[in-house]
Amino acid sequence: SPASAATALAATAAASVAAVGGHAHSGRHRLGALTAGALYSATVGRAQLAARDDPSADTVRRATMAGIHGMVPLQAALAARRGSLLGALAVVAALPLARRLSRKVSPT
């Protein structure tokens, strides 16, 4: 339903704020967290907004897949904020592979 999609969108915003908020080791780590958090918010949020506007099965399925793939940049934001930019980059580097593999096996 549109209400469920709106709730998911609000949860995405809260998760993004939680991932980039709090103590960061340095300004570089904060910037890395903000970048990964923005990637998470943009990709997942856009899909959830589309599901809110059109709650058809295909749109909701795409939003669900975006949410699953969105865990990658969300985890990268957490890694960057906690001091591991290299770890964050390694996690984000897995996203294209995850997307490619999802064409063969559904992540849902």
Side-chain angles (χ1 to χ4, degrees):
S1 71
S4 295
T7 301
L9 186 59
T12 294
S16 185
V17 168
V20 302
H23 175 72
H25 284 273
S26 72
R28 291 180 320 142
H29 296 105
R30 171 75 63 208
L31 181 60
L34 288 170
T35 301
L39 177 62
Y40 168 73
S41 294
T43 57
V44 176
R46 187 175 333 123
Q48 290 171 342
L49 191 59
R52 186 198 67 187
D53 294 341
D54 173 26
S56 67
D58 285 339
T59 306
V60 171
R61 190 174 303 112
R62 282 192 298 274
T64 301
M65 191 177 307
I68 292 168
H69 289 154
M71 302 302 345
V72 174
L74 184 63
Q75 290 172 355
L78 291 168
R81 183 175 59 92
R82 296 303 297 157
S84 180
L85 289 175
L86 187 57
L89 287 172
V91 169
V92 168
L95 188 56
L97 177 62
R99 286 185 176 154
R100 202 169 316 123
L101 289 174
S102 71
R103 292 185 191 123
K104 296 193 181 287
V105 177
S106 175
T108 61

